[in-house]
């Protein structure tokens, strides 16, 4: 059994009142600071705030566009009787959409993501990049990449904005054909 005593009602009221007073003081201070800002006083610089000239903007594919491209790639494969997985990644290599077609192999999901990542990272079809391994075999050791045909970059004004990867068809050439079909839907 504990010998600790329950605080008295008076102690609880005093502690609660002190907490309420501290919270109110914070709100009043914030309101006063905002009032000073709107009255024409120069706002204090935020610590670590970047200047406009230190920033760069980039273009990203929308989720709707990524979904449309992925669906088009799966549809193209299904027309040929192929079961594939498709991944669309953004400019930074982050996965936006993945679709695993009915009957696609379990390995195809990860392969599609890695092909899409590789295509956007080098802004080139992965079939072309696979040829570069002869001159630079160490490329294959870069985490998250897969230098097999089946990845296609998506560009806007010549800059990469996304990558589409397809895996699961009997050949990389077919995978890449379906990835290109997905990318083609974005150009209209």
């Amino acid at each position: 059994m504990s010998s600790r005593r329950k605080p008295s009602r008076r102690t609880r009221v005093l502690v609660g009142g002190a907490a309420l007073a501290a919270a109110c003081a914070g709100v009043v201070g914030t309101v006063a600071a905002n009032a000073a800002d709107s009255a024409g006083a120069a706002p204090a610089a935020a610590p670590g705030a970047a200047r406009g000239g230190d920033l760069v903007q980039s273009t990203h594919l929308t989720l709707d566009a990524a979904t449309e491209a992925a669906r088009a790639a799966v549809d193209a494969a299904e027309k040929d009787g192929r079961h594939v997985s498709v991944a669309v990644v953004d400019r930074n290599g982050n996965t936006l959409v993945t679709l695993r077609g009915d009957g696609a192999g379990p390995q195809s999901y990860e392969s599609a993501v890695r092909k899409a990542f590789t295509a956007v990272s080098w802004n080139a079809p992965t079939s072309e990049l696979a040829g570069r391994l002869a001159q630079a075999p160490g490329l294959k050791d870069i985490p998250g990449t897969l230098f097999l045909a089946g990845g296609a970059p998506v560009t806007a004004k010549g800059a990469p904005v996304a990558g589409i990867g397809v895996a699961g068809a009997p050949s990389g050439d077919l995978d890449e054909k379906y990835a290109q079909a997905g990318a083609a839907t974005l150009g209209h």
Side-chain angles (χ1 to χ4, degrees), residues 31-164:
V31 170
N34 287 339
D37 287 346
S38 63
R51 297 179 307 259
D54 294 338
L55 303 174
V56 65
Q57 292 183 344
S58 63
T59 303
H60 292 269
L61 199 60
T62 66
L63 180 59
D64 287 343
T67 303
E68 178 184 348
R71 185 76 244 172
V74 169
D75 289 347
E78 287 176 350
K79 284 180 187 172
D80 288 349
R82 306 297 180 195
H83 308 286
V84 300
S85 290
V86 178
V88 180
V89 301
D90 69 10
R91 172 62 189 108
N92 301 320
N94 299 309
T95 303
L96 292 170
V97 176
T98 54
L99 297 177
R100 185 176 173 268
D102 295 335
Q107 79 290 354
S108 64
Y109 181 89
E110 177 67 23
S111 296
V113 171
R114 291 175 60 193
K115 288 178 183 184
F117 177 83
T118 305
V120 76
S121 295
W122 278 272
N123 195 25
T126 54
S127 60
E128 178 186 311
L129 296 170
R132 295 183 189 177
L133 288 178
Q135 293 82 25
L139 287 177
K140 70 181 180 342
D141 298 327
I142 297 173
T145 60
L146 185 60
F147 291 88
L148 297 175
V154 176
T155 61
K157 298 179 184 176
V161 294
I164 301 175

